[in-house]
Amino acid sequence: MTTTHDGFPATRRLMLKGAASVALIGLGNLPFSVAPAFAAANDKYPEDAFKQKSDADAVKALYGKTAEPSDKVKMDAPEIAENGAVVPISVSSTLENVTSISILVAENPNALAAFYLIPAGTLPSVANRLKMAKTTNVIAIVEAGGKLYSTAKEVKVTVGGCGG
Amino acid sequence: MRSAIHFASAALALAALSFGAMPFAVAADTPDPAADAKAFQKFFTEKFPKVKLDDFVNGPYSMNEDMHRQWEEKEQFPPYDFSLDLGKEMFAKPFKNGKSYADCFPNQGIGIRQNYPTFDEKEGKVVTLELALNRCREANGEAPFSYVKDEMAALTAYMAFTSRGKPFDIKIPNDPRALEAYENGKRYFYTRRGQLNFSCASCHVQNPGERIRAEVLAPALGILNAMPIYRSEWGGMGTISRRFTTCNSQIRGVPLEPQSDEYRDLEYYLSYVSNGLPVSGPGARP
Amino acid sequence: MASTIRVRATSSGETTEVQALIQHPMDSGYVKDAKGDLIPPHFIQQLTFEHDGKNVFLADWGPAVSKDPYVKFSFKGGKKGDDLKISWVDNKGASDTTTAKIQ
């Protein structure tokens, strides 16, 4: 599966670097500092991060670092999702210099659900609707000033969003 | 969290119902639809004293605060928007013979949803909006649509939208056949069927607001005022026909053909007892 | 054919609030069809919002975003009557673009 970037000519400039980082993760043991071109740092589609199973691996593939819990990351999610196929989730932050927000669903087949690039001038707040396979933690990660901050909330799912 | 249906208590309550303890089961000998509707609405407003009468048209969302919040979020940009626009477009587009849906309906089809189903004294039967739409198509040389989703849902979504807020105004003319259709619909509503041996009333009269497995049951009062609906479970739109057939499969019964006489009568009864409640369709549901 | 993209963008003077709803199956690749065959993944991967020649928001989505996806965000600036350009591209290379007026 390859992504077509025809609609996004601006992304081409980083395609090479992106490919390099994918290769590095494949090798697994090279220091990340050599290849800082994690998807989160540019606007290329972070294919590799979306393929990771666990939330920890997805965050590593996306940002190359880990997040610390912070009460400055706010997440609004229902206690019980009315249907796992459509779970309204919104994330906002009171942190300064937010550059991205990502949302992960811990026990989905692939944890990373959505990544949002927040350019300067855009408010650090996003609302969307996600699928959840079962009751699990939803994790919000806010990137601010080059660091990662997170919060998590368990959402109960009674009808899974992956079933037929 | 409250538990699912308790079979024992459901059975007891139904037994009580069949002995005439509930107001709407009393008038078995002399049919009195007006008294039925009054008793039906009184039953719901007494069972849910905090829910305003007009709010029952919002189904399970009127019953539960957490769900109400998710609903409000969804209504900011409702998932039936695409269907509504498609319906508007389809409704305005003439048939091959140059006529259009507007020619088949009073007031060009605008703001009339609350009057359906009607009783057609010529035919001697109940005519639902979905049936009238397909008859309109066939009379103009067009193939009928599937009754359950897509185009039919889009058309009825648009027609409901033009009638939003108008109170249901279902009429039972002075015709013994109309009264009989009403009585048949009522009987269908309260008759148990399927492997689960549930009637429509088991879920939607006795247990609205409770969960049956994962889902919060909608109250029967006002349930049709919100049709058609976008159901997240369906991942799309569904009509009244779809609602009835799925209900029957969910109790592991064999669904009837959409727009069969029984379903037409059922819709007639269920709409009549919701008279006075506003049209809220198209709706969005879990 | 009508656009797959629905947008509501409202300016409060200082900020513009944008809501978008897109018609797309967002197939996850984990659901089977009536015959029991897996429906292959088909989902929007990137969604961009452009105002005044620059990106004000970019979404990268996986298949866990709901069918007919919805997103809401706000950005500083934007006046009534300004253009907001919205584009998406999915994993099969299909795409759509629309331009909406800020209200």
Side-chain angles (χ1 to χ4, degrees):
Chain A
M1 190 177 66
T2 51
T3 320
T4 330
H5 287 281
D6 291 342
F8 300 87
T11 63
R12 296 215 178 272
R13 63 195 152 86
L14 289 155
M15 294 255 305
L16 274 178
K17 276 187 168 179
S21 76
V22 170
L24 277 175
I25 287 158
L27 293 171
N29 54 2
L30 286 171
F32 284 117
S33 56
V34 179
F38 286 95
N42 58 62
D43 52 7
K44 185 196 175 296
Y45 183 71
E47 184 119 30
D48 190 62
F50 277 106
K51 279 185 180 160
Q52 300 303 314
K53 298 222 180 304
S54 76
D55 49 295
D57 287 349
V59 171
K60 210 196 260 177
L62 192 58
Y63 300 100
K65 51 193 163 200
T66 53
E68 58 175 87
S70 165
D71 59 7
K72 289 179 175 165
V73 178
K74 310 273 179 213
M75 175 161 54
D76 194 11
E79 301 280 332
I80 302 172
E82 58 166 35
N83 188 312
V86 191
V87 186
I89 290 163
S90 58
V91 178
S92 63
S93 175
T94 49
L95 292 158
E96 300 285 321
N97 303 316
V98 171
T99 49
S100 81
I101 295 174
S102 55
I103 306 171
L104 299 98
V105 182
E107 290 182 53
N108 266 5
N110 304 98
L112 182 59
F115 170 82
Y116 298 100
L117 200 65
I118 310 289
T122 294
L123 306 183
S125 172
V126 61
N128 63 9
R129 300 170 186 161
L130 302 178
K131 293 176 211 164
M132 294 183 65
K134 54 177 164 177
T135 299
T136 183
N137 270 343
V138 176
I139 303 152
I141 294 189
V142 170
E143 184 183 26
K147 284 192 172 156
L148 301 182
Y149 304 90
S150 69
T151 192
K153 183 183 173 183
E154 189 187 65
V155 175
K156 289 190 179 70
V157 174
T158 43
V159 184
C162 293
Chain B
M1 193 172 63
R2 286 181 294 186
S3 66
I5 286 191
H6 298 291
F7 284 88
S9 67
L12 270 179
L14 260 195
L17 188 150
S18 60
F19 287 120
M22 289 203 174
F24 42 81
V26 175
D29 296 327
T30 43
D32 185 350
D36 279 0
K38 208 174 153 194
F40 194 78
Q41 298 189 8
K42 184 164 171 266
F43 171 82
F44 279 96
T45 47
E46 279 176 1
K47 189 175 170 83
F48 300 100
K50 284 187 200 152
V51 180
K52 287 196 209 99
L53 184 63
D54 283 359
D55 247 9
F56 281 98
V57 299
N58 296 320
Y61 294 119
S62 61
M63 319 254 101
N64 176 313
E65 220 167 279
D66 191 36
M67 286 188 66
H68 201 270
R69 245 160 33 96
Q70 293 181 58
W71 176 60
E72 280 177 356
E73 190 279 337
K74 235 166 42 170
E75 284 290 314
Q76 291 191 14
F77 221 140
Y80 52 73
D81 243 36
F82 291 106
S83 177
L84 185 56
D85 273 21
L86 174 67
K88 189 177 181 183
E89 207 173 284
M90 286 172 62
F91 198 84
K93 199 178 155 201
F95 302 126
K96 283 190 234 57
N97 67 3
K99 297 210 169 171
S100 69
Y101 293 108
D103 297 317
C104 299
F105 292 96
N107 198 39
Q108 275 78 52
I110 303 304
I112 59 160
R113 163 69 187 98
Q114 69 284 357
N115 302 324
Y116 284 83
T118 61
F119 189 80
D120 183 338
E121 294 191 67
K122 224 188 281 171
E123 190 189 349
K125 284 188 178 186
V126 172
V127 176
T128 67
L129 185 61
E130 293 164 21
L131 187 64
L133 278 162
N134 261 352
R135 285 186 174 174
C136 174
R137 291 183 60 77
E138 290 182 292
N140 288 289
E142 304 279 333
F145 288 135
S146 152
Y147 277 110
V148 290
K149 48 189 182 176
D150 302 332
E151 293 96 342
M152 185 56 79
L155 282 171
T156 52
Y158 173 65
M159 291 182 81
F161 189 74
T162 67
S163 314
R164 267 203 179 167
K166 298 195 177 196
F168 257 33
D169 187 18
I170 312 304
K171 299 247 183 347
I172 300 177
N174 190 12
D175 180 327
R177 295 170 302 174
L179 207 54
E180 199 191 329
Y182 170 88
E183 284 292 311
N184 287 343
K186 179 175 165 185
R187 190 174 318 113
Y188 192 91
F189 186 79
Y190 290 104
T191 302
R192 286 163 170 265
R193 59 179 60 79
Q195 287 181 327
L196 296 188
N197 202 24
F198 282 9
S199 70
C200 306
S202 310
C203 288
H204 300 287
V205 174
Q206 291 180 294
N207 288 286
E210 302 290 341
R211 280 179 191 272
I212 182 158
R213 297 191 64 186
E215 296 183 78
V216 175
L217 290 162
L221 179 63
I223 199 167
L224 298 183
N225 301 54
M227 296 285 161
I229 47 172
Y230 183 102
R231 278 199 85 176
S232 305
E233 190 200 331
W234 295 336
M237 297 291 294
T239 57
I240 291 173
S241 292
R242 187 171 188 182
R243 183 64 268 202
F244 287 167
T245 50
T246 3
C247 267
N248 277 352
S249 343
Q250 279 167 337
I251 56 157
R252 298 193 198 151
V254 180
L256 306 170
E257 278 303 306
Q259 301 303 324
S260 58
D261 288 351
E262 291 92 332
Y263 280 162
R264 285 157 72 180
D265 293 348
L266 173 62
E267 186 175 336
Y268 196 39
Y269 166 73
L270 203 45
S271 301
Y272 183 85
V273 292
S274 293
N275 262 352
L277 274 75
V279 173
S280 66
R285 294 288 181 271
Chain C
M1 211 187 103
S3 172
T4 59
I5 306 169
R6 249 354 106 76
V7 190
R8 266 179 227 155
T10 23
S11 166
S12 66
E14 274 176 36
T15 59
T16 299
E17 185 189 84
V18 183
Q19 294 183 88
L21 187 73
I22 301 164
Q23 199 165 27
H24 199 283
M26 298 300 284
D27 290 319
S28 65
Y30 294 101
V31 177
K32 287 175 180 167
D33 64 16
K35 281 190 281 177
D37 298 327
L38 276 180
I39 302 167
H42 184 202
F43 56 95
I44 292 174
Q45 290 191 317
Q46 280 196 315
L47 169 72
T48 54
F49 293 78
E50 202 181 298
H51 170 255
D52 201 14
K54 71 177 186 69
N55 273 352
V56 288
F57 194 70
L58 179 144
D60 286 329
W61 282 345
V65 172
S66 301
K67 182 186 168 181
D68 295 340
Y70 165 84
V71 71
K72 177 164 98 172
F73 71 96
S74 300
F75 66 95
K76 288 178 188 149
K79 300 185 303 292
K80 284 187 201 327
D82 281 7
D83 279 346
L84 186 71
K85 189 181 161 195
I86 302 100
S87 318
W88 61 257
V89 60
D90 71 19
N91 66 321
K92 292 183 176 174
S95 62
D96 197 9
T97 298
T98 195
T99 302
K101 291 259 184 257
I102 294 174
Q103 292 176 334

